[in-house]
Amino acid sequence: MSVSISAVHVVVDDPDAAVAFYRDVLGMAVENQVDQGGFRWVTLSPPGQPGIQLVLSHPRAGRSEADGEAVAALLAKGELGSVNLRADDLDAVFERAAAHEGAEVVQEPTDQFWGVRDIALRDPAGNLVRIEQAR
């Protein structure tokens, strides 16, 4: 038996800004876009990994009004957790991120005591994105 990651959901308040970040900074490809109920879900995949999907959705999409408001409030505070990724060229990713308007650099490339070198960014919605490169 094997289990693998199929999709990771990331809540964003501006799908266009989020797509620009994940596509232009992180090199992911837009695989699908679905409009439903006045909202849009966007699915992206990392290069060479079409079986792994990052799904961007709005805080109010598919939720009750009260739940949507609660999720939107957590998103505005940057409290929805993080996305952890791995890159083969961390410095190149950092350079693209530092030059992109929608990316906020939280931590420059740093060697961590647990054996990785990583960076930390916030996407345009404020989600924390940590990207590591094994030493």
Side-chain angles (χ1 to χ4, degrees), residues 53-89:
Q53 299 178 336
L54 184 76
V55 181
L56 306 176
S57 63
H58 194 276
R60 293 172 181 86
R63 294 179 177 88
S64 70
E65 186 174 338
D67 287 350
E69 290 297 322
V71 172
L74 290 170
L75 178 63
K77 291 168 44 174
E79 294 294 329
L80 287 182
S82 64
V83 177
N84 293 61
L85 305 170
R86 182 171 292 143
D88 59 0
D89 187 346

Side-chain angles (χ1 to χ4, degrees), residues 6 26 29 46 58 67 69 73 82 107 121 129 132:
S6 170
L26 302 184
H58 194 276
D67 287 350
E69 290 297 322
S82 64
Q107 174 201 300
L121 311 168
V129 179
E132 70 176 38

